[in-house]
Amino acid sequence: HPNVGKSVVFNRLTGSYATVSNYPGTTVDVTRGVGRLAGRTWQVIDTPGVRSLAPQSEDEVVTRDLLLREKPDVVIQVADAKNLRQSLMLTAALADLGLPMVLALNMSDEAASRGLRCDARRLSALLGVPVVETVATTGEGMDRLKEALPKAAPARGPRYAPEIESALASLPGPRFAALSRFCGEGADARAAELRRRFLRPPELLVHAGQEAWALDTLSQVQTRAPAGRPGWLQALDLWTMRGLPGYALVAATLLAMYYFVGVLAAGEGVDFMENTLFGAYVNPLAVRAVKAAIPFPFVQDMLVGEYGVITMALTYALAIVFPIVTAFFLFFGCLEDSGYLPRLSAMLDRAFRVVGLNGKAVIPLVLGLGCDTMATLGTRILETRKERILATLLLTLGIPCSAQLGVIMGILAKHGWREWGVWLAAVGGTTLAAGWAASKLLPGARAPFIMEIPPLRIPKLGNILLKIKMRLVWYLKEAVPLFILGTLALFLCDRIGVLQKVETLLAPVTTALLGLPKEAAWCFILGFLRRDYGAAGLFVLAEKGALDSRQIVVSLVAITLFMPCLAQFLVMVKERGARTATLISAFVFAAAFAVAGALNRLLEFTNLL
C-alpha cells in the first residue's frame, strides 16, 4: 500500500545506488537498485504503491503489469502492521498470482504503541510464507527480512464460495488471469457467460471473499491490549485535525518555516557564507590565484570578474542559495516524516474548493515549495485531467520553489510587515483569481476528497539527514552547472554588447512598466533558466541598495509569478502536452508583468511603500 514505508525498505535493501526511469509506455516512475542480500546479488524494484491489483489508476496498472511480465523471483509485500486487514486483502490478490513472496509487517513499533500484537509465527503458518516484523526507519528486522528471501513461497490465499471456485476452475489459464477475466477485465465469451449466472457482480463477490478471509486470518493472529492513556503525541494528533486548533497549527507551521528558512538561513546563514566565507576568503583568494596563474585578461574576467564563474555563479549557487535550500529541505523533511502533510491536506480541503481542487492537491503544491519540476510530476495523484491542469497552472503561476522562496524570504526579512503583506496579497490574490477563473472555464468536475491519514510520529533524524543528503546532491548536480552555464552566457553577452541591447530592448517593461532599474532585466532572463538564479540576482541588487522598498516588492511579485524555469516547462510538455504547456506559460508570462505593472502604478499612486 502507499504510505507504509515501502521506499525506506527499498533504501535499506539497496543503499543509495538506485536509478529512476519511466516504466515502458507510461509516465510512471519505477526505481531499481542492486543489493547484496542472503549471499547473492539481487536487482530490487520499488513498485508504485497500490491498494489492489484490480487497477483503478496508471500506478496500479504498472505494478500489476510489472508483476505479470517480469515475474520476480521474490515479492516483498510491505504491510502496515497497524492496518493489517487492508494489507491482508492485498496479500489475497498476490496469493492468486502464485509468485513466491515474503510479508514484512512494517511499522510494528507503532502498532505496539497502539496495543496491537501480531503473532508473526502463526501468520506465517497460515499463509505459508515467511513473515517478518520490521521497523524500516530504524533498521529493526531488516537483517531477518534479508535472510527470509531464499525461503519465499507462494502464499495460501482465500478459497471463494463453491460456485465461484467452480467458475474459476472452468476458465483456462492461471488462476489470476481467470480471476481477472471473471471480474470483467479482458473477459472473453466464456467469462461473460459465467458472469451472467451471478445476480451480484462477480468482482463484488470476490472482494467480499477476500475481506472475509482477511478478517478470519486477522482474528487468529492479532490481539489488542486495553488502550492506555493517550500520550502527548496522540493528543497532538487529534488537535491537528480539529477546527480552530488545526488551523492555528497550520499558521504556526508556516510561521516556523518563515523564521527558520527566511530569517535564520537566508539571514544569518547567507550572511556568513556570502560575506564572511566567500567575501573575505574564497573570492579574494580565487582572484589572486587566477590573476597569478592565468595571464589572459579575458579568462581572468570570465572566472573572477563581475560575471565570473567563481565570483558570481559559485557565489550565487553556494553562498546564497545553498544555505536556504538546505534549511528548507530540513524543515520539509520533518514535515514529511512526521505525517503532517496529509493533515495539511485535510485542513485545507475546503479552501481548495474555491479553485476547483480538493485537499489532495495540497501534496503537489507543497512539494512545489521544494521543486516545481518534481511537483508537476506529483500532480499524477490527482484523479481528473481538469484537476491536474489546474494544479499545474497554480504551480507555474504562484508557487515558488524552495531556493526562490528562501531568497524572497531573505530579501523581505530585512523589511517590515507592509512589504510582506503587499507581496502576499498580490501573489496570493492573483493565484486564487486565476485558479477560480480556470476552474469555471475548464470542463469537468472536482473529484471527492478521500485520503488515508497516517498517524503522527516523531521524525527520525537519520532518515531526515538521508533525504537532505540525496536532495542536496541532486541540487548540486542539477543547479550548479546551470548557474555556471547562465553566468558564462551572461559574461559573453556582456562582452559582445548583447546584454546592453537586451536591457535597452526590455526597458519598456522593466523601467517603464515595472519601475525597476534596467539592470533587473537580466534577472528575468536568467529566471527562465532557473527561478532561483533570477531571485538571487534581485537579492544582490537589493543588497547593493539599487532597489527601494517599492521596487523590491514589485520585482519580487514579478519574479514569483514569472514563467516556470526551463526544466519545469519541459516536464509540463511531457505531462500536459505541448499545447497546454505553451498556453499555461503564455498566460503566466502575461499575468506576471501585468500584475506587477498594475501593482507598481498602485503603489506609486497610494505612496504605500
Side-chain angles (χ1 to χ4, degrees), residues 385 389 392-393 396 441-443 563-564 569-588:
R385 181 175 182 272
I389 292 176
T392 303
L393 171 64
T396 307
L441 294 173
L442 289 173
M563 282 182 70
F569 177 76
L570 294 176
V571 170
M572 283 169 57
V573 171
K574 176 187 173 186
E575 294 289 307
R576 305 281 88 89
R579 180 174 177 272
T580 302
T582 302
L583 288 173
I584 289 176
S585 299
F587 169 76
V588 167

Side-chain angles (χ1 to χ4, degrees), residues 418-419 421-423 426 514 548-555 557 595-609:
R418 286 188 178 181
E419 286 82 355
V422 172
W423 176 76
L514 303 184
D548 58 27
S549 293
R550 176 182 57 80
Q551 292 173 320
I552 284 174
V553 173
V554 170
S555 63
V557 168
V595 171
L599 178 64
N600 179 50
R601 294 288 182 264
L602 178 64
L603 294 178
E604 284 180 338
F605 179 75
T606 60
N607 201 27
L608 182 63
L609 296 177

Side-chain angles (χ1 to χ4, degrees), residues 1 50-53 77 86-95:
H1 284 117
V50 298
R51 302 193 181 281
S52 76
L53 296 184
Q77 183 195 349
Q86 290 289 335
S87 297
L88 286 174
M89 291 183 67
L90 184 57
T91 305
L94 289 169

